[in-house]
Amino acid sequence: MNSIYDLGNRRELMIDNFLTSSVTGDIALCCHAPVQKECISALSNLAYGTMLKMDDVYRFYYRSTVAGYDGPGNDGNPGEYTGVMESADGINWHKPDIGIYPEAASNAIIFGSVETHNFVPFIDNHPDCPHDERYKAVAGLCTGGGMYRFYSSDGLHWKKYDLPGLFSSMQLSHKTLDSQNVCFWSDSNQRYEVYFRHYIGEKAGEENGLRSVARSTSKDFINWSEPEKLDINLAEEHLYVSLFAPYFRAPHIYIGTMTRFFDNRDGATDITLCHSRDGVNICRPFPGAWILPGIDRKFWKNRSNYLAYNCWQTSENEISFLHKFGFRYAIRLDGFASLRAGINGGKWVSRPMRYRSGILECNAATSAGGFLKTGIMDIEGRFFHGFSTDDCDMFWGDEIAMNPVWNGTKELPLKEGDIFRLCFELKECDLYSFCIK
């Protein structure tokens, strides 16, 4: 791909070939599975979890049932409530005593309506969002009138917008919205986006239709586009949730951690990884499982493998995802995938990019015998004088934010508006991301 890309100060993940112009040698994209860590028992076995952080407070929203409730088990049953837990560090959690609903749990924030079944909040990063609406949420089922919208100033006390439910006419099945439907403001695309359960196949919505994902957008959170089905599913693969969200270090890239469901294997599930740069073209360069069920047989049952919505940062170099059974899964910061060079090494050259300002920063790790060297090229692929890979200090090590150095300088030979290419020469190295800032 050789059209000019306005890189600006965006961080780019090495998760696809979007920026690739040429590759030579022993180099390929490599997917990195997260590692299972400790079990956060307070967050174990909670349905449709959502992780948010605002003003140095972590909040975890989830669906639960009133203690002792033995009524009907259908979606949106009267015993369900939406609860919240809080934490200062994302690891140690407690239930705040909110006391809104005496007949439900003390930490219940929504109770007595069908929307408790799949209430999913988000933080509205729209620059003109009023303070008392900085938290928003979507929730609802076709059988309850569609998807309703909510707002809150503190994330605890919620009000429903006086607006009709969305997508209630899409009743190809009464379960069309029956999932963890998610919504967010996309700063890069300047719109709200919602991703929700839909069905595909010749008999969509019937038992042999495939669960999948549809999408709609809005400029104002009031008026929404006609839903469009997304082409994501593999053969005989149901997708229970999408969990699309802008990645906080590169918000122009949406990351989805979808649960795959195989009805023909007794409902076995696992978790796969996908991403998108525009919300429509969904990329699955590694279409298989990202998180395997594992050796414990309880993870092979239906509804056993879900992640909570949104990852969160748990150290300077680590991000985490919460599994339904309370296990924390961790990966390196930006570490979904990498540009990996093997023992024989190779070179990667980018498409032309437009420079704005700043110095180059790389997230990379090598073996003891590996290295990374960087060169700065013009649009024709010629190195700028003094900025070839041979002029670059050889990097070996493991750093989240490494700055290449050429002949004693980190400054790039570029001015605002210049077109350039990056050249990475690698051996036994993983390059996870880069940015110019």
Side-chain angles (χ1 to χ4, degrees), residues 5 10-19 186 188-189 191 193 251-254 275-283 351:
Y5 177 62
R10 296 187 188 93
R11 179 174 303 279
E12 292 295 340
L13 307 182
M14 306 306 285
I15 199 169
D16 56 25
N17 288 313
F18 178 76
L19 293 176
S186 170
S188 60
N189 291 316
R191 64 196 177 207
E193 305 199 16
H252 63 294
I253 299 176
Y254 308 162
H275 70 280
S276 179
R277 292 173 177 271
D278 60 9
V280 178
N281 297 291
I282 310 301
C283 299
R351 65 192 285 184

Side-chain angles (χ1 to χ4, degrees), residues 115-162:
E115 293 86 19
T116 58
H117 186 69
N118 56 359
F119 187 88
V120 180
F122 68 98
I123 295 170
D124 189 351
N125 292 315
H126 191 301
D128 297 326
C129 175
H131 183 271
D132 63 353
E133 298 181 16
R134 61 180 183 160
Y135 289 89
K136 288 185 172 65
V138 293
L141 303 168
C142 283
T143 51
M147 180 185 292
Y148 290 98
R149 288 148 285 174
F150 296 76
Y151 66 96
S152 171
S153 62
D154 61 3
L156 301 175
H157 300 84
W158 293 84
K159 296 179 180 178
K160 184 189 292 188
Y161 284 101
D162 185 19

Side-chain angles (χ1 to χ4, degrees), residues 134-297:
R134 61 180 183 160
Y135 289 89
K136 288 185 172 65
V138 293
L141 303 168
C142 283
T143 51
M147 180 185 292
Y148 290 98
R149 288 148 285 174
F150 296 76
Y151 66 96
S152 171
S153 62
D154 61 3
L156 301 175
H157 300 84
W158 293 84
K159 296 179 180 178
K160 184 189 292 188
Y161 284 101
D162 185 19
L163 295 168
L166 296 171
F167 319 128
S168 60
S169 62
M170 296 182 64
Q171 295 188 36
L172 295 174
S173 165
H174 73 283
K175 292 184 177 292
T176 293
L177 294 176
D178 180 19
S179 185
Q180 187 174 8
N181 309 305
V182 299
C183 186
F184 55 83
W185 166 258
S186 170
D187 192 58
S188 60
N189 291 316
Q190 291 292 293
R191 64 196 177 207
Y192 294 96
E193 305 199 16
V194 65
Y195 294 83
F196 62 96
R197 159 72 59 79
H198 196 42
Y199 286 76
I200 60 173
E202 292 183 1
K203 298 182 179 179
E206 298 182 7
E207 289 300 318
N208 55 353
L210 289 178
R211 296 165 178 85
S212 191
V213 183
R215 167 186 175 269
S216 179
T217 65
S218 172
K219 292 291 188 180
D220 56 12
F221 205 60
I222 298 172
N223 303 289
W224 291 79
S225 65
E226 280 296 313
E228 52 191 321
K229 302 176 190 177
L230 301 180
D231 184 12
I232 306 177
N233 298 64
L234 303 180
E236 299 184 340
E237 174 193 69
H238 294 261
L239 298 175
Y240 253 40
V241 292
S242 70
L243 302 186
F244 281 116
Y247 175 55
F248 68 98
R249 297 244 301 170
H252 63 294
I253 299 176
Y254 308 162
I255 299 292
T257 52
M258 303 180 291
T259 291
R260 305 194 304 167
F261 166 73
F262 294 92
D263 198 23
N264 58 352
R265 296 194 174 186
D266 298 324
T269 58
D270 58 28
I271 296 167
T272 191
L273 180 70
C274 63
H275 70 280
S276 179
R277 292 173 177 271
D278 60 9
V280 178
N281 297 291
I282 310 301
C283 299
R284 293 178 67 180
F286 317 102
W290 188 51
I291 296 179
L292 298 169
I295 199 167
D296 191 332
R297 292 307 301 176

